[in-house]
Amino acid sequence: MNDRETRRVLTLEDLTYLAERARALETYGLRPWDRDRLWAAVLNAQMEAKTRAEREAVAEARGALQILDAIERHFVRKGER
């Protein structure tokens, strides 16, 4: 068996659950998982951030999204190849 056959597989519903549990993303509300819409909201918040606290909150959200992107890339099956 190769690595692709043995590694765990997640669904988009699993990814939605993980994103909902990430406190850094609570402000952006998502259901179901929509990576592009969520990134757009976070980047918009980055451009609108005026205070240090707002910039730090956006930085945390960006970090959470980067982690979710990595999880999606490595563990979510998009279809048979």
Side-chain angles (χ1 to χ4, degrees):
M1 271 191 206
N2 65 28
D3 186 45
R4 281 193 181 277
E5 294 171 352
T6 59
R7 72 177 173 191
R8 295 181 188 264
V9 177
L10 299 175
T11 65
L12 291 177
E13 291 80 22
D14 296 328
L15 203 55
T16 299
Y17 175 78
L18 293 173
E20 286 174 343
R21 302 296 296 167
R23 290 181 189 235
L25 299 175
E26 285 178 348
T27 311
Y28 303 98
L30 58 114
R31 189 86 176 132
W33 169 252
D34 185 346
R35 178 191 177 280
D36 294 337
R37 190 186 88 220
L38 192 52
W39 266 108
V42 170
L43 293 176
N44 184 55
Q46 176 75 47
M47 294 185 333
E48 300 294 324
K50 292 181 178 30
T51 66
R52 180 178 182 177
E54 289 172 340
R55 289 189 298 273
E56 288 174 354
V58 171
E60 287 180 19
R62 274 195 335 265
L65 281 175
Q66 289 171 333
I67 291 168
L68 289 170
D69 280 348
I71 290 170
E72 182 178 22
R73 208 170 29 254
H74 294 288
F75 296 104
V76 176
R77 181 168 295 173
K78 302 261 171 131
E80 295 302 317
R81 292 184 176 144

